[in-house]
Amino acid sequence: MKHQHILVIRFSAIGDVAMTVPIVWGVAQQYPDVRITVLSRAFARPFFENLAPNVNFMEADLKGEYHGVKGLNRLYRRLAAKQFTHVADLHSVLRSNYLRLRFNLSHFKVEHIDKHRKMRHALVNKNMKKKVKQQLPTSFENYTEVFAKLGFPIEKNLFTSIFPPEGGDMTQLPELFRDKKENEKWIGVAPFAAHQGKIYPKEQMKEVVRTMVANHPDYSIFLFGRGKEEEETFNQWTKEMPQCTFVSQHIENLRQELILMSHLDVMVSMDSANMHLASLVNTPVVSIWGATHPMAGFLGWNQDKDNTIQLDMECRPCSIYGQKPCIHGDFPCMKNIRPEVIIEKIEKVLL
């Protein structure tokens, strides 16, 4: 009998790939004799390389070696040679659809994610008479369904973290991050996101950080984010508030970032990748939502819904991913959230 080997395809952004981790782990744990190979972009390697003995990672450079139809054909031939028995397309976009077509034509057992597009459209409909505010299946449920259709249902998924209960190995971090005192509180703050509709105003977030520093001078605040705006903002904040540390100025790679996150007491994040990264290391997240909504199914793994912060507005959610322009022009769904509300929620988690 041919040894069962599942190919899992998920490209996309870092947060989306991170959300596959608990489900891949669940399948790997329940079916230890089944090999699983995750095909993704190079950045995702730290998620999977030590996840389980039967999980492997394969990177695909879609902008270089496997660019275009010729590149995808080259990638397919490489994949087909590995003799997979099942293919789980957890992305269902043009590139993965093409690979899926090739596998189908070659009579592989293939299943793909149902994104519930009609339900999504109804959730964000601008016409309030047609808008349907209801909880959509989560990404985790959608991923689980794909494996069930392939013949690998997960009865119970007990994933908590990619690290042991005590967190990641702090000796792998720069010396600055190795000395956490017994009763010291470490707070992560990730105030940026890919789209404006998911970003809490900078000055209001600065007020949150300033108040936390003033009320708790013994706390340490770690600022997460990479990019020009993040650098300008965080350099200013660290000058004004010495308790703050701009993480990417000291951390070398995603693996180290995940280790640091595993030792935080709380992460304050938008609906963004950092919410999902913190979720993978069992760190509670206070998440702030504007144009998007947890109803769309993208709340982090095992995160408490009581730790979400959002305003009850008729127009919300107006976007699944946060990229659409605001009908009011200035995202009142974000700017009208008072800093005190966020501070109160952080304090509650830290109790």
Side-chain angles (χ1 to χ4, degrees):
M1 182 178 176
K2 192 174 183 180
H3 190 80
Q4 292 181 312
H5 190 178
I6 307 171
L7 171 65
V8 179
I9 303 172
R10 179 75 219 208
F11 304 123
S12 191
I14 188 169
D16 298 312
V17 180
M19 293 182 80
T20 68
V21 173
I23 308 308
V24 171
W25 181 91
V27 175
Q29 291 295 310
Q30 191 158 331
Y31 303 94
D33 295 328
V34 176
R35 291 178 61 199
I36 301 171
T37 294
V38 177
L39 177 70
S40 188
R41 299 178 189 272
F43 69 74
R45 183 175 294 278
F47 296 152
F48 300 100
E49 58 184 357
N50 297 308
L51 188 64
N54 53 331
V55 174
N56 300 305
F57 179 78
M58 178 178 172
E59 65 182 67
D61 180 5
L62 299 177
K63 293 183 178 180
E65 184 179 4
Y66 301 122
H67 179 71
V69 175
K70 287 185 178 180
L72 289 175
N73 285 331
R74 190 180 308 116
L75 177 58
Y76 169 75
R77 290 192 293 270
R78 181 183 171 192
L79 293 170
K82 295 184 178 294
Q83 298 184 317
F84 294 105
T85 56
H86 301 75
V87 178
D89 178 6
L90 303 185
H91 200 175
S92 196
V93 292
L94 193 60
R95 290 187 181 97
S96 66
N97 290 350
Y98 183 79
L99 291 173
R100 198 170 77 225
L101 173 65
R102 293 294 309 268
F103 279 113
N104 270 318
L105 290 174
S106 299
H107 305 291
F108 284 79
K109 187 169 179 57
V110 182
E111 294 292 347
H112 67 281
I113 188 173
D114 180 357
K115 295 184 177 179
H116 304 282
R117 287 188 169 90
K118 287 185 178 180
M119 294 175 68
R120 287 184 177 182
H121 180 72
L123 181 64
V124 300
N125 202 313
K126 290 182 179 180
N127 185 335
M128 297 306 155
K129 293 182 179 179
K130 296 182 179 180
K131 195 177 188 72
V132 181
K133 293 189 179 185
Q134 63 175 329
Q135 179 64 53
L136 274 61
T138 68
S139 292
F140 307 111
E141 291 170 335
N142 292 336
Y143 296 153
T144 300
E145 182 183 43
V146 175
F147 287 104
K149 288 179 178 178
L150 286 174
F152 303 99
I154 307 173
E155 293 179 6
K156 193 172 184 180
N157 194 338
L158 301 177
F159 176 84
T160 54
S161 173
I162 61 174
F163 296 127
E166 66 272 16
D169 182 3
M170 296 181 81
T171 64
Q172 296 183 27
L173 298 178
E175 193 169 346
L176 172 68
F177 302 106
R178 294 181 196 171
D179 184 26
K180 183 179 183 181
K181 298 175 179 61
E182 187 175 349
N183 295 316
E184 186 180 3
K185 299 295 184 183
W186 283 11
I187 302 171
V189 177
F192 292 93
H195 305 292
Q196 191 62 40
K198 300 200 292 186
I199 300 176
Y200 188 59
K202 278 191 300 185
E203 286 307 311
Q204 288 169 247
M205 182 58 83
K206 184 178 181 181
E207 182 61 29
V208 171
V209 174
R210 184 162 40 218
T211 302
M212 290 301 298
V213 165
N215 292 347
H216 306 281
D218 54 334
Y219 286 9
S220 293
I221 311 288
F222 298 97
L223 307 173
F224 289 83
R226 298 175 184 272
K228 184 178 179 181
E229 187 174 8
E230 287 90 331
E231 185 173 350
E232 292 174 356
T233 301
F234 293 160
N235 281 335
Q236 179 189 356
W237 290 10
T238 53
K239 285 180 182 178
E240 295 179 21
M241 298 172 282
Q243 294 98 318
C244 293
T245 301
F246 181 10
V247 172
S248 70
Q249 286 187 337
H250 308 277
I251 291 291
E252 298 176 5
N253 51 52
L254 178 58
R255 179 75 179 178
Q256 288 187 336
E257 199 164 305
L258 289 165
I259 292 172
L260 175 58
M261 284 187 187
S262 73
H263 293 279
L264 299 177
D265 295 283
V266 63
M267 168 69 85
V268 182
S269 174
M270 309 299 104
D271 169 21
S272 68
N274 284 294
M275 172 178 63
H276 297 296
L277 298 183
S279 300
L280 292 188
V281 296
N282 200 28
T283 294
V285 179
V286 170
S287 55
I288 305 167
W289 301 72
T292 59
H293 198 290
M295 279 185 183
F298 296 105
L299 185 64
W301 176 261
N302 274 349
Q303 291 300 330
D304 190 338
K305 290 182 180 179
D306 287 343
N307 292 337
T308 62
I309 297 174
Q310 54 189 325
L311 297 179
D312 185 11
M313 298 176 64
E314 187 181 33
C315 58
R316 289 192 63 241
C318 64
S319 175
I320 295 296
Y321 303 111
Q323 80 278 27
K324 294 182 179 179
C326 173
I327 60 173
H328 304 288
D330 59 351
F331 297 102
C333 57
M334 275 295 194
K335 76 172 189 177
N336 290 343
I337 296 174
R338 294 178 293 109
E340 308 91 80
V341 174
I342 300 173
I343 294 165
E344 182 180 344
K345 192 73 72 173
I346 296 170
E347 298 275 13
K348 184 178 178 182
V349 173
L350 291 175
L351 286 177

